[in-house]
C-alpha cells in the first residue's frame, strides 16, 4: 500500500512540475590562480537533488569524495583538502604540486551523473632570475645561438624577450620557446643588450644580458706607404695591415715564409731596402677567440739602377770579315735592356749584349747607337766604326850601358776597331825573334842591336781592320859618326873634338799612291838647341816606351838614355 502511495506522490509531482534533474555549475572562474601557501577554493553549486554524492578528481586520480549535507567527511584527505557542504573543494596551504586540472562529479540514485572542470594554477614569487647561453660564444656564421633563463623560485605565466629595448617575436631571426630565445644564424648585427621579463599574477622580474657576436677577421686592408709601384734601392717604406673583427684580430707579416717584426698595430717598417727584399709580403690576420684566419698578399718591387753609364765598343770577328758590336751596362735590378736599333729593330739583350754584322761596308764612319733602357733610367752610348786613316809613325831611340842601340818604330792608326799592324822589310814580313820584336797590340816594332850598316832601311807598316787598310813606309837614314861616337854622346862622355852626331830618322811616310816628303819633328819645339847641353844631359827613357817595350830576355841592357824624335808627313 505504501509503495503505491509513493508512486502516486511522484506522479503528482511530475504532473505539477515540481520534479527537477540534478545539475552542477562552477561558481566563479574555472581557471583559478593561487599563490603558494594560501587557501584556494574551487567553488560549485548544484540543484535538483538535495544531497548528491560528490567526487573530485585530479586528472583521473580521485582526491576527495563525500555526500553533500553529510556531517561525516570521511574519505577526504585531512589537512590538505577541505570539502565544502556545497560540494566545493578548498585547498589549504596550497603548494605547486597541486597545479593541474580538476573535475568534480555529482550523482544521485536515479539521476544521471553531472560534472564540472577546473584549472588550478599555483604560482610562487619569482626570484633570482639568471640568464645562460648555449654555446658559450656567439660566433657569426654558426647555425644558432640560444639564450635561456632559470629561476631559483617562481614560475612565469608570461615571458617576453627584448633586444635593445625592442620586444622580440618569433620569426626568421629569432625563435622563442619555453625558457629559450634562439638566434638563428647570428651575425654581428645581433650584438647588443638582451632582456627577459618574467611575470605571473603575483610577481614580475627582469634580467639583462649583453651578447657580443664574435666575427672576423674580414678581408684585410693592406697599405704601402708611400704609395709607389716601384721602390728604388736605399729607400724606406711602411706596410700596414688592418681588418675588422671582434675581438680586433692580430696581424703578423711574412716574407719568404718567415715572419718579420710586426708592431701591435700591424705595421712593418722597411728601411734602406735592397733588391733582395723584392717579393710577396703576406699579412695573416687571426681572431684570437675563434682562431679564424685570413691572409692577403702585397708585392713589393725594389729596383736598382745599373752602375755607371753604358759602354759601347766594336771588334773584328770571323777573321776580320765581320764586326761585332758590344753594349755593356752591367748590374741593376732588373737588368737593363740594350739594343742596337740602327742594326736591328727587334733584336735586344740584357746587361751585356753583342751583335755580329757581316755586311759591314756601309757602316764605315756611321754612328751606331746602343739604346739602354732600365725602369729607372734610359740612356744610350754610341760607337763609330772606321777604317784606318792617315797616321804618323813615331821613332824612339835609346842606348844601353853596353853601347847597344834600341830603335822603336811606333805605327798606330786611328781606327775602330783597332787596326792590326803588319811589318815588312825588304818585302819580308817581320816576326818576333832575337833581332825584332813586335808588341802584343802589333803597333810597335823593336829593333835590337841597331846597326847603321845593316838596319838603316825602309820599314813598312800596314794597319788593317775589317773596314780598310793604310800603309806607311818609314825610311831610316844616318849621317855623321860611327856607332861608338853615338854611344859616347848618349853616355854623356866629354869630348871637345867630337862632332855632334845627328841621327836623322828621315821617314819616308805616305801612302803608296803619294810622293813621300821628309818629316818635320813634332817633339822638338821651335827653339835653338844647344848641342853641348844635349851632350851633357842624361835623359830618362820616355814613360810610354818603358810601358810598351816587350820583354826580350833577362839579359836586356838597362836603358839609361834616350832621344825621342817624332816626325809628320
Amino acid at each position: 500500500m505504501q509503495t503505491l502511495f509513493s508512486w502516486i506522490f511522484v506522479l503528482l509531482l511530475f504532473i505539477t512540475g515540481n520534479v527537477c534533474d540534478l545539475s552542477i555549475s562552477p561558481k566563479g572562474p574555472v581557471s583559478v590562480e593561487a599563490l603558494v601557501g594560501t587557501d584556494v577554493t574551487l567553488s560549485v553549486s548544484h540543484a535538483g537533488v538535495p544531497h548528491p554524492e560528490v567526487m573530485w578528481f585530479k586528472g583521473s586520480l580521485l582526491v576527495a569524495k563525500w555526500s553533500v549535507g553529510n556531517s561525516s567527511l570521511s574519505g577526504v584527505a585531512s589537512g590538505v583538502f577541505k570539502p565544502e557542504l556545497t560540494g566545493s573543494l578548498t585547498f589549504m596551504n596550497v603548494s605547486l604540486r597541486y597545479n593541474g586540472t580538476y573535475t568534480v562529479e555529482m550523482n544521485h540514485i536515479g539521476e544521471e551523473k553531472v560534472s564540472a572542470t577546473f584549472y588550478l594554477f599555483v604560482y610562487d614569487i619569482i626570484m633570482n632570475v639568471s640568464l645562460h647561453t648555449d654555446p658559450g660564444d656567439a660566433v657569426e656564421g654558426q647555425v644558432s645561438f640560444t639564450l635561456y633563463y632559470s629561476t631559483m623560485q617562481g614560475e612565469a605565466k608570461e615571458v617576453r624577450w627584448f633586444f635593445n629595448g625592442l620586444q622580440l617575436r618569433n620569426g626568421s631571426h629569432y625563435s622563442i620557446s619555453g625558457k629559450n630565445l634562439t638566434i638563428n644564424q647570428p651575425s654581428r648585427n645581433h650584438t647588443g643588450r638582451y632582456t627577459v621579463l618574467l611575470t605571473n599574477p603575483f610577481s614580475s622580474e627582469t634580467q639583462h644580458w649583453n651578447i657580443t657576436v664574435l666575427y672576423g677577421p674580414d678581408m684585410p686592408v693592406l697599405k704601402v706607404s708611400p704609395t709607389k709601384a716601384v721602390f728604388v734601392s736605399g729607400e724606406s717604406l711602411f706596410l700596414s695591415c688592418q681588418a675588422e673583427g671582434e675581438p680586433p684580430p692580430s696581424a703578423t707579416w711574412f716574407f719568404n715564409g718567415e715572419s718579420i717584426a710586426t708592431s701591435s698595430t700591424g705595421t712593418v717598417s722597411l728601411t734602406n731596402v735592397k733588391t733582395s727584399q723584392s717579393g710577396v709580403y703576406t699579412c695573416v690576420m687571426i681572431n684570437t677567440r675563434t682562431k679564424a684566419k685570413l691572409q692577403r698578399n702585397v708585392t713589393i718591387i725594389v729596383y736598382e739602377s745599373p752602375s755607371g753609364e753604358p759602354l759601347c765598343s766594336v771588334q773584328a770577328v770571323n777573321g776580320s770579315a765581320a764586326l761585332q758590336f758590344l753594349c755593356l751596362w752591367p748590374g741593376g735590378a732588373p737588368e737593363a735592356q740594350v739594343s742596337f736599333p740602327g742594326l736591328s729593330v727587334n733584336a735586344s739583350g740584357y746587361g751585356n749584349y753583342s751583335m755580329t754584322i757581316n755586311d759591314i761596308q756601309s757602316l764605315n764612319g756611321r754612328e751606331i747607337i746602343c739604346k739602354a733602357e732600365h725602369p729607372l733610367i734610359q740612356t744610350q752610348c754610341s760607337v763609330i766604326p772606321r777604317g784606318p786613316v792617315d797616321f804618323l809613325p813615331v821613332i824612339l831611340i835609346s842606348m844601353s850601358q853596353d853601347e847597344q842601340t834600341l830603335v822603336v818604330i811606333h805605327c798606330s792608326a786611328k781606327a775602330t776597331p783597332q787596326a792590326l799592324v803588319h811589318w815588312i822589310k825588304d818585302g819580308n814580313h817581320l816576326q818576333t825573334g832575337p833581332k825584332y820584336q813586335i808588341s802584343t797590340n802589333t803597333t810597335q816594332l823593336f829593333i835590337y842591336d841597331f846597326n847603321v850598316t845593316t838596319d838603316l832601311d825602309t820599314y813598312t807598316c800596314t794597319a788593317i781592320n775589317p773596314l780598310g787598310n793604310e800603309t806607311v813606309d818609314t825610311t831610316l837614314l844616318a849621317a855623321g859618326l860611327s856607332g861608338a861616337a853615338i854611344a859616347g854622346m848618349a853616355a854623356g862622355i866629354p869630348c871637345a873634338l867630337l862632332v855632334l852626331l845627328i841621327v836623322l830618322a828621315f821617314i819616308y811616310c805616305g801612302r803608296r799612291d803619294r810622293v813621300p816628303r821628309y818629316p818635320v819633328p813634332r817633339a822638338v819645339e821651335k827653339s835653338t838647341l844647344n848641342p853641348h847641353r844635349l851632350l851633357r844631359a842624361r835623359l830618362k827613357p820616355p814613360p810610354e816606351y818603358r810601358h810598351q817595350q816587350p820583354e826580350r830576355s833577362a839579359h836586356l841592357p838597362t836603358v839609361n838614355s834616350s832621344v825621342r824624335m817624332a816626325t809628320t808627313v
Side-chain angles (χ1 to χ4, degrees):
M1 178 66 71
Q2 184 178 359
T3 302
L4 178 63
F5 282 119
S6 297
W7 280 103
I8 294 172
F9 177 76
V10 172
L11 181 60
L12 291 173
L13 290 175
F14 179 78
I15 295 173
T16 58
N18 291 326
V19 178
C20 294
D21 295 333
L22 176 63
S23 64
I24 187 174
S25 62
K27 293 177 64 176
V30 296
S31 180
V32 179
E33 296 171 340
L35 178 63
V36 169
T38 63
D39 297 340
V40 60
T41 300
L42 304 182
S43 299
V44 295
S45 63
H46 69 280
V49 175
H51 303 292
E53 183 183 50
V54 180
M55 292 182 294
W56 283 89
F57 295 87
K58 182 183 180 184
S60 60
L61 177 65
L62 177 66
V63 295
K65 177 180 180 182
W66 73 94
S67 296
V68 175
N70 190 344
S71 58
S72 175
L73 301 178
S74 59
V76 177
S78 176
V80 178
F81 301 110
K82 178 183 178 183
E84 302 293 341
L85 295 177
T86 60
S88 300
L89 180 64
T90 297
F91 294 79
M92 295 180 294
N93 193 23
V94 68
S95 64
L96 293 176
R97 69 189 186 95
Y98 290 107
N99 269 309
T101 302
Y102 290 84
T103 303
V104 57
E105 294 183 355
M106 291 186 178
N107 59 65
H108 191 270
I109 298 174
E111 299 291 334
E112 289 187 0
K113 184 187 299 184
V114 293
S115 65
T117 301
F118 290 84
Y119 304 93
L120 178 60
F121 299 93
V122 181
Y123 296 97
D124 206 347
I125 300 298
I126 300 173
M127 298 177 62
N128 298 330
V129 179
S130 59
L131 292 173
H132 313 274
T133 61
D134 182 27
D137 288 327
V139 180
E140 187 174 64
Q142 67 187 21
V143 176
S144 63
F145 176 78
T146 299
L147 182 66
Y148 63 94
Y149 74 87
S150 65
T151 62
M152 290 292 294
Q153 177 181 299
E155 289 296 329
K157 179 180 180 180
E158 182 181 19
V159 179
R160 288 188 289 174
W161 291 92
F162 299 85
F163 173 59
N164 292 337
L166 299 177
Q167 185 173 351
L168 300 177
R169 303 186 185 280
N170 281 313
S172 59
H173 296 293
Y174 298 99
S175 299
I176 301 173
S177 176
K179 298 182 177 181
N180 300 336
L181 170 66
T182 300
I183 304 174
N184 301 314
Q185 296 181 339
S187 71
R188 64 195 71 181
N189 296 327
H190 293 122
T191 295
R193 181 185 175 95
Y194 287 80
T195 302
V196 62
L197 173 60
L198 306 179
T199 60
N200 64 29
F202 307 98
S203 63
S204 66
E205 192 72 25
T206 60
Q207 187 58 269
H208 308 283
W209 188 273
N210 291 322
I211 292 179
T212 299
V213 179
L214 307 181
Y215 66 93
D218 292 344
M219 181 60 69
V221 177
L222 306 185
K223 291 184 180 179
V224 181
S225 180
T227 303
K228 298 174 65 176
V230 172
F231 291 89
V232 180
S233 178
E235 292 183 337
S236 298
L237 60 102
F238 295 91
L239 304 176
S240 67
C241 181
Q242 295 180 340
E244 293 292 329
E246 180 59 44
S250 63
T252 303
W253 282 92
F254 292 84
F255 178 63
N256 289 337
E258 298 292 333
S259 62
I260 55 180
T262 307
S263 71
S264 59
T265 58
T267 62
V268 168
S269 175
L270 301 178
T271 59
N272 192 26
V273 293
K274 300 176 178 58
T275 55
S276 60
Q277 291 175 281
S278 291
V280 177
Y281 289 77
T282 301
C283 173
V284 177
M285 305 293 291
I286 182 171
N287 188 313
T288 56
R289 290 277 296 276
T290 67
K291 306 305 179 184
K293 291 183 180 180
L294 200 61
Q295 68 182 45
R296 193 176 178 187
N297 300 332
V298 63
T299 300
I300 300 298
I301 300 175
V302 180
Y303 284 166
E304 184 177 40
S305 299
S307 59
E309 296 289 333
L311 179 64
C312 289
S313 61
V314 62
Q315 63 184 15
V317 294
N318 299 338
S320 297
L323 291 178
Q324 185 181 60
F325 292 87
L326 298 99
C327 188
L328 177 63
W329 200 19
E335 286 188 298
Q337 184 179 27
V338 293
S339 62
F340 293 100
L343 300 178
S344 175
V345 177
N346 299 321
S348 64
Y350 294 90
N352 188 2
Y353 177 64
S354 63
M355 177 178 288
T356 301
I357 303 298
N358 295 314
D359 185 9
I360 60 176
Q361 293 308 314
S362 63
L363 303 179
N364 194 7
R366 172 182 161 192
E367 182 180 21
I368 304 300
I369 295 175
C370 170
K371 187 177 180 182
E373 297 179 309
H374 186 269
L376 300 179
I377 185 173
Q378 290 79 42
T379 184
Q380 64 182 35
C381 63
S382 65
V383 62
I384 301 177
R386 296 182 185 276
V389 295
D390 291 343
F391 60 93
L392 298 174
V394 176
I395 309 299
L396 300 174
I397 303 174
S398 66
M399 188 69 66
S400 66
Q401 290 180 348
D402 58 356
E403 299 185 1
Q404 290 185 348
T405 303
L406 172 65
V407 175
V408 181
I409 305 175
H410 183 85
C411 286
S412 180
K414 184 178 181 181
T416 304
Q418 181 179 353
L420 297 178
V421 180
H422 298 271
W423 296 91
I424 300 174
K425 177 187 175 186
D426 295 333
N428 297 318
H429 286 273
L430 299 180
Q431 304 290 335
T432 295
K435 180 66 176 178
Y436 303 104
Q437 286 196 11
I438 300 173
S439 64
T440 303
N441 62 7
T442 73
T443 61
Q444 296 181 97
L445 174 66
F446 296 84
I447 306 174
Y448 291 93
D449 293 336
F450 189 85
N451 190 304
V452 296
T453 302
T454 59
D455 294 330
L456 291 178
D457 205 336
T458 297
Y459 293 85
T460 300
C461 57
T462 301
I464 301 173
N465 78 359
L467 295 174
N469 61 80
E470 188 75 14
T471 299
V472 173
D473 293 330
T474 301
T475 300
L476 300 181
L477 302 175
L481 300 178
S482 66
I486 296 174
M489 180 184 67
I493 302 174
C495 184
L497 299 178
L498 289 178
V499 178
L500 175 65
L501 174 63
I502 302 175
V503 180
L504 299 175
F506 294 100
I507 305 173
Y508 183 70
C509 303
R511 298 194 177 108
R512 297 287 186 176
D513 56 353
R514 297 197 303 181
V515 177
R517 296 180 295 170
Y518 291 102
V520 178
R522 300 178 68 184
V524 180
E525 297 182 356
K526 293 182 179 180
S527 61
T528 303
L529 295 175
N530 190 330
H532 301 289
R533 289 184 179 179
L534 183 60
L535 287 173
R536 290 195 300 269
R538 297 175 64 85
L539 303 178
K540 294 182 179 180
E544 62 273 29
Y545 167 72
R546 292 172 62 89
H547 288 298
Q548 297 173 352
Q549 180 177 356
E551 296 183 1
R552 186 185 185 196
S553 69
H555 304 289
L556 287 178
T558 302
V559 178
N560 59 18
S561 175
S562 66
V563 178
R564 175 181 176 183
M565 300 183 63
T567 60
T568 60
V569 178

